Amino acid sequence: MKNGKTSPWAWIPSLYLAQALPYVAVMTISVIMYKRLGLSNTDITLYTSWLYLPWVIKPLWSPFIDLFKTKRWWVITMQLLIGAGLAGVAFTIPMPNFFQLTLAVFWLVGFNSATHDIAADGFYMLALNVRDQAMYVGIRSTFYRVATIVGQGLLIVLAGFIESSTGLEPVKFSISASPANYQIMARPAATSPQLLEGELTFVVSATDLPLSTQLVPADSAKQIKKYAQEQNVKNGFVLPESEAKKDSKFTLWWKTHVSQPLGNTLRKYFGNKSKKKDIGNEVGNIGLIAVHLSKAPVSGEKIVLNSSYDNGNKNISLVNGDRIEFTEANWNKPAYLAVQLDTQLKEEATTTFKGTSGNISFAWSITFFILAGLFLAFTLYHKYILPKPKADISVVKGEMTASNIFREFFATFATFFQKKQAGIAILFMLFYRFPEAQLVKLITPFLLDPTEKGGLGLTTSEVGLVYGTIGIIGLTLGGIIGGICAAKGGLQKWLWPMAWSISLTCLTFVYLGYAQPESLIVINICVFIEQFGYGFGFTAYMLYLIYYSDGEHKTAHYAICTAFMALGMMLPGMAAGWLQEHIGYENFFIWVMICCATTIGVCAFIKIDPDYGKKEIT
């Protein structure tokens, strides 16, 4: 190598691990963390979608990376700042206002990561000659995927392991339904739990609650559920809804005149119809189970009980209290879990629910501390191992001054929008992934949500396996096979098969939403198929970005294309959670399939050189 003795194998894998991990942390790990910490799908998708913004606007400052310092300096400095930011996330997770604080830190990590992307890609081109760039492009892509598996897979599994290993003994309770049972709308006696000796455990009012299959008045059942909800909020077991936040005048106007009326309409006409079909003014029988702790937890400690379906008849559902928080202030007060029978249930049936706990804040803090430590190691390693190419200088050579740089900067944007089919190209960049932009934000909440809420009820570790490992393997294989196909037949030949691939494989989530299978094998197969189809179809998208960027200002134009790519993920994702919470997972996945028409539609208008991609892009 002309610009140094260091082998590219010594720094390319670690550099692209460092490039991918912050993006995974900000865009994927944050979603799972917030879900486990009790945030609603609406808040998660809205606020984490805003985190795309640094990658959307990074072309605005990318030219200035050339003006100040070297690419090597930017890479090392950004890695140090990213590590500090990830440590900041770890420190702020246990705090009462963790949501606002962690979002702010994630925002800063996002800007540092986007800057690191610019510098790392620039350094790659400066440190290697053209031949070596082509030779190692597969290596950088492979280790970018490896980082995704580490972030979405291993780190999520680790967080899940810490969650499960730090919790109290799981608690189980069964509901026995029978026409012979006499209990109508069972409600625990209002007694004050007493301090018990021994280990800290959960205490339930009934481990086996018998309920009659006789129908009950709808108003009475509604009052029982309302009582449980009000008591849980009053005693601090349930976090206040996001509506309790102070809203600006515009937000209040928006809610009053737009989001609430629209949401009510969607819920009325497209919301999931209750599986406990009402018969006249009667509904399925309902019962409450009270839970408290045997003694006060350690001062400042929060114990979260997550309850969900374990086994048995699915016509008995947990309708309230699936997530409750115990502290030293409410440990000796009853937290209520409400269960309800389906109106169609007439015969004997038994269902068991399981409640697990764990120090969730601690688990995710440790996970982010590990990430922070990893970036400290990256910083120290790259400070000594990265080569120092002669072309990596702090100021642009020749007669280029700051004013010329600004002039060139604006000229770059002008030429981008003056290209042929610029409007169609931008529509393609924004809408090719319109369905996936919504689906990807709800995959992990869907996998984590209990079956009573329409989800699959997986544990954090299982999500790390299903989506973060098996799913990423499918995504990677799809991308590899897509690249091979495009290299042989060209982009134009494979555009339509890839567009249909990224669209039709979304059907697997329609199946998962309706069937809610318990088999982890079935879930893994479905997620693998969807992610494989996405990886295969995404190949066409990336090749088109390269195709459109070709020519003068290739690097800058590609950065603008990736900005539109990020914007196309950001905007649809912001509303995805709000939409899902109004129409349910089943209808949301149907909506995603309807949106696939946009993918097919934008492909119909773009024009591509028939020979493009056959040899040049592999």
Side-chain angles (χ1 to χ4, degrees):
M1 220 172 117
K2 294 179 181 180
N3 48 23
K5 296 180 181 180
T6 307
S7 168
W9 280 101
W11 57 271
I12 289 177
S14 57
L15 180 64
Y16 282 90
L17 283 172
Q19 181 168 317
L21 278 173
Y23 181 84
V24 174
V26 172
M27 302 313 309
T28 303
I29 298 179
S30 66
V31 173
I32 301 173
M33 181 190 76
Y34 287 137
K35 187 66 181 178
R36 294 297 295 144
L37 290 171
L39 275 296
S40 69
N41 288 353
T42 298
D43 284 344
I44 291 171
T45 58
L46 173 62
Y47 292 106
T48 60
S49 291
W50 273 111
L51 297 176
Y52 276 112
L53 190 61
W55 287 274
V56 173
I57 63 176
K58 71 179 182 180
L60 297 179
W61 70 86
S62 59
F64 305 107
I65 303 299
D66 289 325
L67 285 174
F68 308 102
K69 300 293 184 179
T70 63
K71 302 291 193 306
R72 188 180 190 275
W73 182 89
W74 281 105
V75 166
I76 295 170
T77 303
M78 289 304 106
Q79 287 177 4
L80 181 62
L81 292 177
I82 289 169
L86 294 170
V89 172
F91 277 117
T92 53
I93 287 173
M95 296 183 179
N97 55 341
F98 73 92
F99 188 42
Q100 296 89 337
L101 292 174
T102 53
L103 275 175
V105 181
F106 274 131
W107 186 275
L108 295 176
V109 171
F111 276 99
N112 290 329
S113 178
T115 305
H116 180 273
D117 291 356
I118 299 166
D121 290 338
F123 182 84
Y124 177 85
M125 290 185 284
L126 291 174
L128 301 175
N129 57 38
V130 174
R131 178 181 172 276
D132 286 341
Q133 287 179 37
M135 182 182 297
Y136 290 98
V137 69
I139 303 303
R140 59 181 271 186
S141 299
T142 298
F143 279 90
Y144 195 96
R145 294 296 187 198
V146 169
T148 308
I149 294 176
V150 171
Q152 292 183 204
L154 296 181
L155 287 174
I156 302 303
V157 171
L158 173 65
F161 172 77
I162 298 174
E163 283 183 14
S164 60
S165 62
T166 57
L168 305 184
E169 185 71 22
V171 60
K172 288 189 176 183
F173 57 92
S174 299
I175 309 300
S176 302
S178 171
N181 289 337
Y182 65 89
Q183 289 216 53
I184 307 297
M185 294 185 292
R187 182 166 152 181
T191 58
S192 298
Q194 300 297 315
L195 179 67
L196 302 178
E197 297 294 333
E199 294 183 1
L200 179 64
T201 61
F202 293 108
V203 180
V204 296
S205 59
T207 56
D208 188 359
L209 179 66
L211 285 177
S212 172
T213 56
Q214 179 179 334
L215 300 181
V216 299
D219 289 343
S220 299
K222 185 177 180 181
Q223 288 299 317
I224 292 288
K225 284 194 285 188
K226 183 179 179 182
Y227 171 81
Q229 292 168 352
E230 289 177 345
Q231 290 298 308
N232 287 345
V233 172
K234 175 183 175 182
N235 292 322
F237 295 116
V238 178
L239 292 174
E241 295 293 330
S242 58
E243 284 74 18
K245 301 172 186 175
K246 291 184 179 180
D247 294 323
S248 64
K249 291 183 179 180
F250 173 77
T251 304
L252 289 171
W253 178 88
W254 179 264
K255 286 182 178 180
T256 304
H257 299 284
V258 181
S259 65
Q260 286 183 352
L262 179 59
N264 292 336
T265 301
L266 288 171
R267 194 184 296 274
K268 178 179 179 181
Y269 292 103
F270 302 104
N272 284 348
K273 304 303 178 185
S274 175
K275 295 180 181 179
K276 300 176 284 299
K277 300 172 184 175
D278 296 356
I279 301 178
N281 292 321
E282 296 184 317
V283 297
N285 195 8
I286 190 169
L288 298 184
I289 290 181
V291 184
H292 65 90
L293 292 178
S294 59
K295 60 182 180 181
V298 177
S299 178
E301 183 181 2
K302 181 195 300 180
I303 297 176
V304 180
L305 178 66
N306 292 284
S307 303
S308 61
Y309 168 88
D310 187 40
N311 59 70
N313 194 310
K314 288 191 175 182
N315 287 320
I316 305 175
S317 303
L318 184 67
V319 295
N320 186 65
D322 58 292
R323 186 185 191 279
I324 50 182
E325 297 182 357
F326 290 96
T327 64
E328 58 182 330
N330 63 10
W331 70 272
N332 58 352
K333 298 175 182 177
Y336 292 106
L337 287 72
V339 293
Q340 190 168 17
L341 311 187
D342 192 297
T343 55
Q344 305 302 312
L345 185 62
K346 301 299 182 183
E347 69 281 356
E348 292 187 359
T350 301
T351 300
T352 300
F353 296 92
K354 183 179 181 180
T356 58
S357 67
N359 194 331
I360 297 177
S361 296
F362 174 76
W364 288 99
S365 288
I366 293 297
T367 301
F368 276 94
F369 273 128
I370 291 173
L371 263 176
L374 186 59
F375 268 85
L376 177 60
F378 280 141
T379 303
L380 296 175
Y381 179 74
H382 288 145
K383 181 175 177 59
Y384 293 100
I385 207 67
L386 286 182
K388 297 179 180 180
K390 294 179 180 179
D392 189 16
I393 56 177
S394 60
V395 181
V396 178
K397 291 182 178 180
E399 300 178 356
M400 293 295 287
T401 62
S403 61
N404 290 335
I405 290 292
F406 277 103
R407 191 181 303 114
E408 186 70 12
F409 172 70
F410 291 113
T412 298
F413 277 89
T415 54
F416 179 88
F417 292 102
Q418 289 170 358
K419 287 191 172 188
K420 291 181 180 180
Q421 279 205 312
I424 297 299
I426 292 171
L427 289 176
F428 180 85
M429 296 172 203
L430 291 175
F431 290 105
Y432 182 80
R433 292 198 296 169
F434 184 61
E436 190 70 27
Q438 299 172 81
L439 179 62
V440 73
K441 278 295 179 184
L442 271 302
I443 288 178
T444 48
F446 169 66
L447 296 175
L448 287 167
D449 263 336
T451 54
E452 297 81 24
K453 290 187 174 183
L456 297 184
L458 302 186
T459 65
T460 305
S461 295
E462 287 172 338
V463 171
L465 170 65
V466 172
Y467 186 55
T469 305
I470 302 301
I472 295 300
I473 291 172
L475 182 71
T476 304
L477 289 177
I480 292 172
I481 294 174
I484 294 172
C485 292
K488 290 185 176 180
L491 176 57
Q492 186 186 64
K493 177 181 178 179
W494 284 98
L495 175 63
W496 285 107
M498 290 177 176
W500 284 111
S501 172
I502 202 172
S503 300
L504 294 180
T505 49
C506 294
L507 279 169
T508 56
F509 275 90
V510 176
Y511 164 75
L512 290 175
Y514 276 88
Q516 292 182 289
E518 297 179 27
S519 170
L520 200 60
I521 295 176
V522 172
I523 297 170
N524 272 307
I525 290 172
C526 288
V527 171
F528 178 88
I529 291 172
E530 192 278 332
Q531 288 291 286
F532 179 90
Y534 174 48
F536 185 76
F538 186 61
T539 304
Y541 186 79
M542 293 304 295
L543 285 176
Y544 183 77
L545 297 192
I546 297 171
Y547 173 76
Y548 186 78
S549 303
D550 199 21
E552 190 181 5
H553 306 297
K554 179 188 297 186
T555 303
H557 284 180
Y558 186 76
I560 297 172
C561 286
T562 59
F564 278 113
M565 176 176 69
L567 185 64
M569 294 295 288
M570 171 182 164
L571 296 179
M574 291 173 68
W578 174 84
L579 179 62
Q580 179 276 318
E581 290 194 336
H582 282 88
I583 65 177
Y585 282 113
E586 294 175 6
N587 288 335
F588 175 76
F589 294 140
I590 292 292
W591 164 251
V592 168
M593 290 305 304
I594 293 172
C595 291
C596 290
T598 61
T599 301
I600 303 304
V602 293
C603 290
F605 294 98
I606 62 172
K607 297 178 181 179
I608 302 169
D609 182 349
D611 295 325
Y612 181 76
K614 288 183 180 179
K615 294 182 180 180
E616 293 81 5
I617 307 298
T618 58

